[in-house]
Structures are given as C-alpha cells and as structure tokens.
C-alpha cells in the first residue's frame, strides 16, 4: 500500500534509464539504501543524471588524448596513442576524430581518460578499457604487462552495474548504479582503506562512512577522491586520500584513509549538486548557484584573488552575481558555466587553456597568463552558443587543452594541440590554439 506521492515517484523511477533493467529485488534493495522511500530513490536517480550527462553527448580532454561520446553512444578518439589509448588497434597518433569501430553495437554512456589509458561505460553497465593494462600506476610509472589497443571488457567488474568511472593518480574508481564506490589499487599504507598491489585489477568497495550511503557522482584528482552522496537529509560531499594542500576540505593537510564528510557545506548552508576534483584543488556547485573551491591556490586556481591555500571550501565571491550550473577543474585551472550558458575561467593559463586571449599582455609572465579571479571567456560568448559542458586536462605532467560543448551539439577546442588532441588543424610550427575552434564531428 503506497501513498499517491509514493506511487507517482515510483512511476517516475520506472522511466529512468538506470532503473528500468533492475529486478524487483534490486529495486527494493536500492529503496532501502536510499532511505526507504521511492521519493528518495527518485531524488537519487535524478541527482545522478544531472551530473553525469547520461544519454547526452560529452567530450573528455584527457592527458594528451581526447574522447568524445555522441548522444547515440558512438565513441570518437584522437591525439596521443603511444599505449593504444585511442582504441583503434594501433599506436599511431590521430590528429582528427576517428570512430572506434570495434564498439559497433555497444552504446557507450560515459567515458574517463587518464594518462595513456581510457575507460568506457556502456548502457548495460559494462566497463571497457584500453591503453595501459594497469589501473593503479602513476602517470609516469611502469607500463604494465602489455598494451591494450582495442576496447576490452573489465572482467572483474562484470557482476557490478557501473554508471561512472574516474581515473586518478595511483588508482581508479568506479560507481555502481546502486551508489556504491569501488576502487582499484593504491593500497599502500591502506591509502583507500584497503591493502593491494599497484597492478591489482580487483575492485574493492569503499567502506567506512559510504558503505551504506548512496553516491551519485565521483571525481578523482591527484591521489584523492571526492564522492557526492545523496542522503535523506540532503546532498553531501565526502573525501578520501592524500590531504596535501588541504584538498580534502577538512581544515587540515593530513591524509584520510576512510571517506570523511566535508562539514563546511553545512556551515555555509550550501547543498552541493556537483563536485570536481582538480590535480591539487577541488570545487563544488551548490543548488543555489554558488561555487566553492579549496585546496592549493597556486596561479589563482581557486578564484579568490590570490594564490593562498584553502583547507576548507570557500565561496568564490567574485561569482556572486551569477548562478553557476557546472564546474570543471584541471591542473591549477577552473571553469564555471552559468545558467545562461556563459563561461568563466581562472587559474594557470599555460598552453592557452583558459581561452582568455583578451587578457592584457602586461599580465603575462614568461608567456603564461595567470588569472586570480574569474574572467568571462568572451571568445566562447562570441560563438553565440549556449555552453553546457566544459572538460579540461586534469594532469600535472601534460600540456592542458579544453573542450566546450554547446547545447546544439557543437564542440569547440582550445589549448595545447601538440599531440593532435584538439582534433583541429594547426598551422606549421603551432603547438597550441588560443581561440576556440569547432571540431568537425557529428555529436547527434
């Protein structure tokens, strides 16, 4: 016997792509995990869809290579391919988007790109990988036992319905449709609450505070992980891993071996709806449109007008006149999208990855533009397109590039292009592009 509101919520749940294939037993288990109400299950499902772009096109600016997923589930890749991370069966570099034909008949809904490796998630919860055959080494660690040049199924995840993957330094994490987080590797000193070898291919559940708390989004940075959780009392953020620079958000710089709640959002009366983990700093968008940043503030990547570190989340006051809907972070770089589609960027401008070609030459130091407070990316505004997603390289070892995806399905690229990762033609002796240029690819 259900109330009308519960019946309505259950009916809406049954229309969600992730919920449809679940058995009755799995649905009841999810209901209990979410707090015993179909309304809470619906909130969990909608929150996950909002920050994952499931069944929508997406672009991933990886370290030296790029992955693009169309709304139909086809995948294109281009850029550096030294380990087979483009998935075409070769190690040849590609300077133009190329369809991964071996995935024909498989609908991909989400992608993650790390140094020399790629992971793809299908609509049936299967996980495919190519490039380095290890999920745990550092960006400049050993190459694994072999190179995988075409998409291969991750056998150890075949019993877990995965909806998202995140690649960090020394580890990889995946999120199940039930909101459970699993991690590969980085078991040295129990950094993620378990003991494993760097080459370990077995997923380990992230226990502790998140064992019975459903998670809707994960984000991986340099040796740490953020998890956006959906609880009956509201949304919250947990962090685990390396605490250098204060990037875990707890007011200290110490490591956390188990997920720990970031309490500052309660003090700020802010309901997080999206998390982003840069290499050494992190960001959150709240339901009211406020943006918080914390961690290492080098080059102004926190947007507070200085280069100071912040060990707890702090509201970016310079963005108080806009309502943010999306945030993306990289190596000392941050982008914010407002509800009207405008884009703001701040932080390290190396490789022209900020898109701020309007910054005065006097502000440049050794050819690098560092922006300490948010600046409107006018070069994107001039395109007269509403931007809905930003992706930028999240690596301290690679020149950064940036993608801007518009509501109409157009993809623009700027920043470093020395490996062909922009997917656009560069002039002779040109290694980067300051102005956004459309990538010729059909995202519909």
């Amino acid at each position: 016997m259900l109330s009308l509101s519960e019946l309505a919520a259950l009916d809406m749940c049954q229309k969600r792509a992730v919920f449809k294939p679940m058995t009755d037993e799995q649905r009841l288990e999810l209901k209990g995990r979410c707090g015993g109400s179909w309304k809470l299950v619906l909130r969990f499902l909608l929150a996950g869809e909002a920050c994952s772009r499931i069944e929508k096109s997406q672009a991933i600016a990886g370290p030296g290579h790029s992955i693009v997923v169309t709304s139909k589930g086809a995948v294109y890749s281009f850029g550096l391919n030294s380990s087979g991370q483009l998935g075409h069966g070769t190690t040849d570099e590609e300077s133009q988007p190329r369809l991964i034909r071996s995935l024909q008949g498989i609908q991909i809904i989400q992608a993650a790109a790390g140094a020399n490796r790629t992971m793809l998630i299908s609509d049936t919860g299967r996980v495919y990988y190519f490039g380095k055959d290890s999920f745990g080494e550092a960006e400049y660690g050993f190459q694994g036992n072999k190179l995988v040049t075409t998409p291969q199924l991750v056998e150890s995840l075949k019993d877990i319905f995965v909806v998202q993957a995140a690649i960090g330094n020394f580890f990889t994490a995946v999120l199940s449709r039930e909101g459970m987080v699993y991690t590969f590797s980085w078991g040295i000193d129990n950094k993620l609450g378990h003991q494993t070898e760097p080459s370990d291919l077995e997923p380990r559940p992230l226990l502790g505070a998140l064992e019975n708390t459903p998670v809707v989004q994960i984000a991986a940075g340099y040796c740490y992980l953020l998890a956006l959780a959906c609880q009956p009392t509201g949304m919250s953020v947990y962090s685990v891993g390396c605490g250098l620079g204060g990037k875990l958000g707890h007011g200290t710089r110490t490591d956390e071996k188990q997920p720990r709640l970031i309490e500052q959002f309660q003090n700020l009366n802010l309901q997080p709806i999206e998390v982003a983990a840069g290499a050494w700093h992190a960001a959150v968008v709240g339901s009211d449109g406020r943006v918080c940043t914390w961690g290492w503030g080098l080059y102004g990547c926190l947007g507070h007008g200085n280069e100071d570190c912040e060990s707890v989340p702090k509201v970016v006051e310079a963005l108080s006149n806009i309502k943010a809907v999306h945030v993306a972070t990289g190596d000392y770089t941050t982008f914010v999208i407002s509800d009207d589609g405008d884009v703001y960027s701040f932080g390290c401008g190396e490789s022209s990855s900020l898109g701020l070609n309007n910054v005065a030459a006097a502000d440049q130091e050794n050819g690098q533009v560092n922006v300490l407070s948010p600046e409107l990316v006018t070069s994107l505004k001039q395109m007269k397109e509403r931007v809905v997603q930003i992706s930028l390289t999240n690596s301290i070892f690679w020149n950064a590039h940036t993608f801007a995806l518009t509501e109409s399905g157009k993809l623009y690229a700027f920043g470093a292009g020395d490996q062909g990762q922009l997917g656009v033609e560069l002039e002779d002796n040109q290694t980067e592009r300051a102005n956004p240029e459309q990538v010729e690819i059909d995202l519909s």
Side-chain angles (χ1 to χ4, degrees):
M1 299 294 292
L2 297 175
S3 66
L4 287 177
S5 61
E6 278 288 279
L7 279 171
L10 176 58
D11 181 63
M12 293 184 68
C13 286
Q14 291 170 340
K15 297 176 182 177
R16 317 321 299 178
V18 171
F19 192 82
K20 285 179 182 179
M22 298 179 74
T23 65
D24 289 343
E25 183 179 353
Q26 290 169 334
R27 291 177 177 184
L28 289 175
E29 183 180 344
L30 178 61
K31 180 182 178 183
R33 184 170 171 79
C34 288
S37 161
W38 292 119
K39 287 183 284 188
L40 292 176
V41 173
L42 179 61
R43 189 179 71 170
F44 164 77
L45 295 173
L46 293 176
E49 290 178 10
C51 51
S52 66
R53 293 192 58 79
I54 288 179
E55 295 184 329
K56 297 179 181 179
S57 55
Q58 56 187 275
I60 309 298
H65 75 289
S66 303
I67 304 293
V68 176
V69 181
T70 73
S71 58
K72 299 288 187 179
V75 182
Y76 292 81
S77 62
F78 45 100
L80 184 69
N81 195 29
S82 57
S83 298
Q85 62 263 43
L86 298 187
H88 300 303
T90 72
T91 55
D92 298 333
E93 186 177 294
E94 299 284 346
S95 60
Q96 298 291 324
R98 180 180 173 186
L99 179 67
I100 303 180
R101 298 191 180 279
S102 62
L103 291 169
Q104 187 173 359
I106 301 172
Q107 184 176 348
I108 299 300
I109 61 170
Q110 204 264 340
N116 301 301
R117 76 194 86 150
T118 304
M119 296 182 75
L120 303 175
I121 315 297
S122 76
D123 62 341
T124 58
R126 299 295 192 185
V127 182
Y128 298 84
Y129 78 105
F130 40 99
K132 287 184 179 180
D133 73 333
S134 170
F135 297 131
E137 77 263 28
E139 294 192 35
Y140 277 102
F142 63 88
Q143 293 291 313
N145 296 324
K146 63 178 180 178
L147 301 182
V148 179
T149 60
T150 57
Q152 301 293 317
L153 192 66
V154 180
E155 292 291 339
S156 61
L157 288 170
K158 63 183 180 181
D159 295 327
I160 300 172
F161 194 111
V162 175
V163 294
Q164 190 197 347
I167 300 176
N169 209 39
F170 297 109
F171 74 98
T172 299
V174 296
L175 176 66
S176 76
R177 67 178 172 186
E178 295 80 18
M180 281 285 294
V181 181
Y182 298 83
T183 58
F184 293 88
S185 192
W186 212 36
I188 300 173
D189 297 327
N190 289 297
K191 285 290 196 305
L192 294 175
H194 56 70
Q195 187 77 25
T196 59
E197 296 298 321
S199 59
D200 186 37
L201 299 180
E202 291 296 322
R204 314 284 174 165
L206 195 60
L207 302 177
L210 291 180
E211 185 172 1
N212 298 306
T213 302
V215 171
V216 300
Q217 184 203 357
I218 54 176
Y222 195 89
C223 310
Y224 75 108
L225 180 73
L226 298 179
L228 178 63
C230 185
Q231 298 172 300
T233 55
M235 305 297 289
S236 55
V237 180
Y238 290 78
S239 62
V240 61
C242 172
L244 285 176
K247 60 182 182 285
L248 296 184
H250 303 302
T252 69
R253 300 187 183 187
T254 57
D255 298 349
E256 295 290 341
K257 296 180 180 180
Q258 297 284 348
R260 179 180 172 186
L261 174 68
I262 300 179
E263 300 176 353
Q264 179 68 1
F265 296 116
Q266 297 174 347
N267 300 330
L268 295 171
N269 193 28
L270 185 144
Q271 281 278 324
I273 60 172
E274 184 184 36
V275 296
W280 294 99
H281 74 293
V284 152
V285 173
S287 59
D288 58 2
R290 285 184 292 170
V291 176
C292 288
T293 58
W294 67 96
W296 247 331
L298 195 62
Y299 307 122
C301 62
L302 301 184
H304 301 307
N306 54 48
E307 297 187 54
D308 297 342
C309 293
E310 299 290 344
S311 58
V312 295
K314 180 178 178 180
V315 175
V316 181
E317 296 296 343
L319 293 171
S320 60
N321 60 333
I322 71 162
K323 181 177 181 179
V325 294
H326 174 62
V327 65
T329 51
D331 174 22
Y332 301 119
T333 309
T334 307
F335 278 76
V336 174
I337 301 178
S338 70
D339 60 350
D340 58 6
D342 285 340
V343 179
Y344 299 80
S345 67
F346 44 98
C348 177
E350 187 178 13
S351 305
S352 303
S353 60
L354 288 178
L356 298 174
N357 56 355
N358 58 319
V359 177
D363 295 334
Q364 299 189 31
E365 180 182 347
N366 298 324
Q368 178 174 308
V369 181
N370 298 323
V371 179
L372 306 185
S373 295
E375 292 276 354
L376 178 66
V377 184
T378 56
S379 57
L380 285 173
K381 190 174 182 64
Q382 291 167 358
M383 301 295 177
K384 300 188 184 306
E385 293 270 356
R386 183 187 183 92
V387 177
V388 294
Q389 186 215 357
I390 291 285
S391 176
L392 60 154
T393 308
N394 189 14
S395 168
I396 63 174
F397 296 114
W398 298 83
N399 291 332
H401 68 292
T402 305
F403 287 129
L405 180 62
T406 70
E407 193 172 44
S408 64
K410 293 179 180 177
L411 181 64
Y412 293 90
F414 51 96
D418 54 320
Q419 306 290 343
Q421 65 266 51
L422 292 180
V424 300
E425 292 286 345
L426 295 179
E427 297 177 3
D428 292 341
N429 300 320
Q430 189 179 21
T431 60
E432 60 188 53
R433 183 168 186 85
N435 292 314
E437 182 170 337
Q438 186 176 349
V439 181
E440 295 301 326
I441 185 172
D442 182 10
L443 292 179
S444 63

